[in-house]
Amino acid sequence: MDVKTFLFTDDGSIPNHRDYPALLYRGVFDDPSGMRETFAHNEWTNSWVNGVFDYHHYHSNTHEVLGVLQGEATLQLGGTNGDLVRVRLGDVLVLPAGTGHRRIEASEDFQVIGAYPDGRDYDTLTGKTEERPDNVKRIEQVEKPKFDPVFGTTGPLHEAWTKEETL
């Protein structure tokens, strides 16, 4: 499986996550109709189906998984200085809390399913000055999920999302 990792720093507007990289699983689903069930089986719920906003935003209180159900798009991850990433049918993007993302362009049929570990509710923040410093504190307090949204107890999330515990 082809997995890409993206680690971004706080750009002063979009905080991103200082410890956990965003993960892109390329073509992990041959048949994306099973994404919702797979995510739910691995306790990533509170799902929805739609597109991706065309403005920078992030979630300070939860991680997010986006699975491409149809079409393709170019997304920008990490804020205005972040990376452009092309996603297509069957790809899965795992975004740690705080990771900025927006749609740059998309095919007319582009559609994703989004979900959250343990079915958490999510906030939607856009990098306004008044969101700080509370948002940064919330991001740091979001725990690593128990399960990878695709692979459960194994998988890239468990390999890439490690951080040094302070004593």
Side-chain angles (χ1 to χ4, degrees):
M1 178 179 58
D2 184 16
V3 178
K4 304 281 187 218
T5 62
F6 306 88
L7 188 60
F8 304 103
T9 58
D10 187 330
D11 69 4
S13 177
I14 303 296
N16 295 299
H17 200 290
R18 67 179 186 170
D19 296 312
Y20 298 153
L23 304 170
L24 174 59
Y25 306 173
R26 288 259 182 230
V28 72
F29 282 91
D30 291 330
D31 178 5
S33 66
M35 281 184 185
R36 184 185 303 261
E37 292 77 19
T38 299
F39 295 163
H41 176 77
N42 292 312
E43 298 184 13
W44 288 66
T45 56
N46 190 20
S47 62
W48 49 266
V49 173
N50 206 331
V52 175
F53 294 135
D54 64 355
Y55 54 86
H56 291 288
H57 67 285
Y58 64 95
H59 312 293
S60 72
N61 60 347
T62 188
H63 309 299
E64 180 176 44
V65 63
L66 299 174
V68 182
L69 293 172
Q70 59 186 44
E72 58 186 328
T74 300
L75 306 179
Q76 185 172 31
L77 305 179
T80 56
N81 297 319
D83 292 345
L84 298 181
V85 178
R86 190 79 179 163
V87 295
R88 57 188 58 86
L89 176 77
D91 288 350
V92 170
L93 189 59
V94 184
L95 302 173
T99 302
H101 52 292
R102 74 174 177 135
R103 174 181 40 82
I104 299 294
E105 65 82 26
S107 61
E108 286 188 27
D109 63 342
F110 178 65
Q111 200 170 54
V112 298
I113 179 170
Y116 308 89
D118 299 321
R120 288 185 178 214
D121 279 331
Y122 54 92
D123 58 8
T124 301
L125 303 174
T126 58
K128 295 178 182 158
T129 304
E130 60 269 18
E131 294 169 355
R132 292 178 177 256
D134 293 338
N135 62 346
V136 176
K137 291 177 187 172
R138 278 191 303 276
I139 291 165
E140 291 173 357
Q141 294 171 350
V142 177
E143 294 180 7
K144 176 182 167 184
K146 292 179 284 195
F147 302 104
D148 179 296
V150 176
F151 300 101
T153 57
T154 64
L157 181 143
H158 297 294
E159 296 165 15
W161 285 20
T162 59
K163 67 179 178 179
E164 298 294 319
E165 298 299 324
T166 56
L167 300 176

